[in-house]
Every structure is written in C-alpha cells, then in structure tokens.
C-alpha cells in the first residue's frame, strides 16, 4: 500500500481526505461542535443542518476551505436565529463528490 502525506511549511500534516467527524457533545443542549478535515487540495466545502424530514435548518459552512482540520459550532438555531425544538438533526458535509452525514440529537 502507498500512503501519500502532505506536510506544510510549519510541519503540519494535511488530512489525506475529506471527513466529517463525530459531533460533540452528542446529544447536546446549547451548542455542538462539528469537526471536519480538508485534504491538501483544499476546496469548496458545504456543511448544512437538516431536520429529519430533509428541510434545511441552517447553513454552517459554504465556501472554499484551506487544507487542514477545521471545526464549526452549531448553536441549535435555524437560519432566522430561532432555537429549534429538541429532536434529531442531520449534519451533512459536501465537498465535490464527497458527502457524509452525521446525526445530531438536540435535547431540552
């Protein structure tokens, strides 16, 4: 197997691929942190939160991202700043052909 690693001038290793990591804390009351990886090529990334019916709740990230490990917080509000009800939500990351979904449970 061949492993390709990209290291920047500071010695930081860029992730090998796009990834959306497990949300924490989950379940959450207040805010949840979504960590994600962008490989050495960088590129456009979109992270959106949807309800279980597929309706868009909030756009968290939408634009070009530099290579590396990133994080964004969702405070449990919709696009208008209203607090969403407790329940199950889906955080979806899209970057080119890459797509990954993580479940997030909001309590109280």
């Amino acid at each position: 197997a061949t492993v390709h690693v990209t290291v920047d001038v500071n010695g930081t290793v860029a992730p090998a691929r796009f990834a959306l990591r497990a949300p924490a804390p989950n379940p959450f009351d207040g805010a949840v942190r979504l960590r994600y990886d962008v490989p050495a090529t960088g590129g456009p990334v979109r992270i959106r939160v949807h309800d279980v019916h597929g309706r868009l709740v909030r756009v968290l990230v939408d634009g070009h991202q530099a290579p590396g490990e990133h994080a964004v917080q969702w405070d449990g509000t919709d696009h208008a700043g209203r607090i969403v009800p407790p329940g199950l939500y889906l955080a979806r990351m899209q970057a080119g052909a890459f797509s990954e979904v993580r479940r997030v449970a909001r309590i109280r």
Side-chain angles (χ1 to χ4, degrees):
T2 302
V3 176
H4 295 279
V5 177
T6 302
V7 179
D8 71 13
V9 294
N10 298 320
T12 305
V13 176
R17 63 180 186 85
F18 287 104
L20 179 60
R21 300 190 179 276
N26 194 17
F28 79 99
D29 177 26
V32 62
R33 184 174 185 214
L34 299 164
R35 295 181 321 136
Y36 60 100
D37 296 341
V38 177
T41 56
V45 173
R46 183 178 300 162
I47 299 178
R48 297 178 173 186
V49 177
H50 297 266
D51 66 16
V52 292
H53 301 291
R55 293 181 293 243
L56 180 63
V57 173
R58 182 93 182 258
V59 176
L60 301 176
V61 175
D62 191 8
H64 184 84
Q65 299 289 295
E69 297 176 359
H70 301 270
V72 64
Q73 281 198 251
W74 178 44
D75 61 2
T77 60
D78 66 12
H79 64 281
R82 298 176 297 237
I83 295 174
V84 299
L88 185 63
Y89 293 87
L90 304 171
R92 175 183 301 272
M93 177 179 170
Q94 293 177 291
F98 172 83
S99 180
E100 192 163 2
V101 176
R102 297 288 185 165
R103 291 181 291 203
V104 180
R106 176 161 163 65
I107 56 176
R108 290 201 257 161

